Structures are given as C-alpha cells and as structure tokens.
Amino acid sequence: MSNVIAVDGPSGAGKSSVSKLVGKRLGYLHVDSGALYRIMTWQALARGVDVSDPAAVAAFADKVEIECRPEDGAVVYYVDGEIPGDRIRTPEINANASAVATVKEVRDRITAMLRAMADLGNLVVEGRDIATAVFPDSPARFYLTASAEARARRRRKEEVDKGVANQSEEAVKASLLARDLVDSTRRHAPLRKADGAIEIDSSDMTLEEVVEAVIGALPEGWAK
Ligand code: DC
C-alpha cells in the first residue's frame, strides 16, 4: 500500500505550492485533484452543458475521457491527447467549478480516479475532501488555511504571473469567498477539516516553513 499525504483547504491557502514541494522533497507524486474538477467544468462549458443544472452535469459526468500519467513527479492529465494547461485556470472556470463539484456523479468519478492513483506510488494529494472522503484512513492528513486577504493576494499574483487574468484583489477575494461558500456548504463531501487532521494557518508563514511543518508531522519513516 502506498503512502498518501492528504492536503485539504480553501482556495489560495497554498495547497499547490506546498504539495508540489513536499512531493519533490520526498519523491512522492503530486496529485492536483482540483484540476480534475476544473477539467470537468471546462469540458462541460465547451460542450454547451448547462452547469447550473445538476441533472445535466450528472448525465455528462462519464463522458469526458481523462488519461492520468505519472510524469516528472506529478500525475499529469490528458484530455483528447492534450494537457489542458492554463485553459482550466480562467476566471470563467473559477466561477463555475464549484457548481460542477457539487454533483455527486462527478465527485464519485473523480474519487474513484484518485483512489486508483495509489497504485502508481506514494502520493501527495491536494483538494477539498481528500482527508475527509477520498483517503480518510491516511495517517498523514492536513488542513491548510490562511486569511481571506492572504489567499486573495496569492491567487491574484498567480493569475497575473500566468497571464490568465488581471482582476483587482477585491474581485479575486469575492470570487474565492463565493467558491469557499459553495464548497463548504454542499451536500456531498463538503470542504471541512477532517477529524484529527493537522491544521496549519499559513497567513504569516513562508512556503518553506509550511513545507517543513508538513514534513515534520509525517509518520515515522515516511520522509526518507
Ligand atoms: O483547488 P481548485 O481551485 O483548483 O479547485 C477547483 C474546484 O474544485 C473548487 O471549486 C473546489 C473543487 N474541488 C473539490 O470539490 N474537491 C476537491 N478534492 C478538489 C477541488
């Protein structure tokens, strides 16, 4: 059985940067579960599915072919032979991904895909329900959080650096708070800190400090 490090938390808490670095340090594959929800959203919008209609999204859930390949320390997703890249990081996808992620059929499919990845090797998996629903038995479960201001600042910088958007910090904050609300109040696998998960507030911590905190809290023998 592989080791799985589960990292949950709201948008912009630093899950991606932290998980990627932890994976790199330990030689664990990095798994971005949010990207799978984004891919479903992207494909639904591209095919004209009404993403505000859960029945329409449910009917579409098994139509998207996603191939998962371990490459350069991460599980990389291919849709129709292509890596989606920044096409799944636009404000339009940000605004619609939460609605798609409320649909049980979508969650069931992605949960099954994530569990199957444990056959690929040791993993560090980031998301919203990894510690609560996908890998609840993992002994390495973390809840990464930060103030809304810190999260909006980071998310805005990311968008500007990638050239995908240039919104005000206020607009980014409003969009991520709206997403957090949907994510944490939905019926199926809502965002919450798993019982027994280790909570880390990264508002006033450097990336390096958070990485050290995660690695330092792993079970004996996991960080070799
Ligand atoms: O982490 P992210 O911003 O890329 O996530 C995109 C959306 O997917 C967001 O609305 C939360 C949702 N999500 C989820 O419901 N469960 C996960 N394990 C990961 C993401």
Side-chain angles (χ1 to χ4, degrees):
M1 181 58 194
S2 307
N3 296 344
V4 176
I5 302 171
V7 183
D8 288 330
S11 310
K15 297 186 299 291
S16 280
S17 315
V18 171
S19 306
K20 278 182 195 154
L21 262 178
V22 169
K24 203 167 169 183
R25 294 271 166 90
L26 306 182
Y28 284 31
L29 288 167
H30 169 245
V31 178
D32 177 359
S33 67
L36 293 170
Y37 289 94
R38 288 171 178 274
I39 286 172
M40 296 294 271
T41 309
W42 172 53
Q43 288 293 303
L45 291 170
R47 297 180 199 193
V49 174
D50 177 0
V51 295
S52 66
D53 175 1
V57 175
F60 162 84
D62 61 355
K63 301 282 186 295
V64 187
E65 298 254 347
I66 306 174
E67 198 197 332
C68 305
R69 290 191 217 156
E71 278 174 19
D72 299 328
V75 177
V76 178
Y77 311 124
Y78 287 79
V79 179
D80 294 328
E82 277 186 55
I83 298 175
D86 289 340
R87 282 175 286 183
I88 59 167
R89 308 272 161 205
T90 63
E92 191 193 15
I93 307 251
N94 289 347
N96 289 291
S98 289
V100 171
T102 59
V103 178
K104 185 173 184 301
E105 287 76 1
V106 170
R107 304 207 69 81
D108 287 348
R109 175 158 183 226
I110 291 177
T111 297
M113 289 175 72
L114 294 167
R115 288 185 181 147
M117 288 178 203
D119 292 340
L120 300 173
N122 294 333
L123 309 175
V124 48
V125 188
E126 54 159 306
R128 303 291 190 293
D129 65 337
I130 308 305
T132 54
V134 184
F135 293 107
D137 298 329
S138 164
R141 296 175 305 144
F142 296 88
Y143 189 79
L144 195 56
T145 174
S147 68
E149 290 68 31
R151 296 190 288 120
R153 216 177 312 121
R154 290 176 190 157
R155 194 38 68 89
R156 176 174 189 279
K157 182 173 183 309
E158 222 171 78
E159 290 182 358
V160 171
D161 289 351
K162 283 188 175 150
V164 292
N166 190 358
Q167 313 174 87
S168 69
E169 206 169 290
E170 270 313 303
V172 176
K173 182 172 154 188
S175 148
L176 63 81
L177 287 179
R179 221 137 39 99
D180 289 350
L181 184 67
V182 180
D183 292 341
S184 56
T185 54
R186 70 179 172 225
R187 189 155 157 242
H188 306 292
L191 167 68
R192 65 172 180 84
K193 176 179 171 289
D195 295 337
I198 296 171
E199 180 163 349
I200 302 173
D201 183 334
S202 71
S203 307
D204 298 314
M205 291 171 81
T206 63
L207 176 57
E208 185 56 34
E209 286 169 339
V210 182
V211 168
E212 286 300 322
V214 169
I215 292 178
L218 293 177
E220 188 77 34
W222 280 34
K224 275 193 233 158

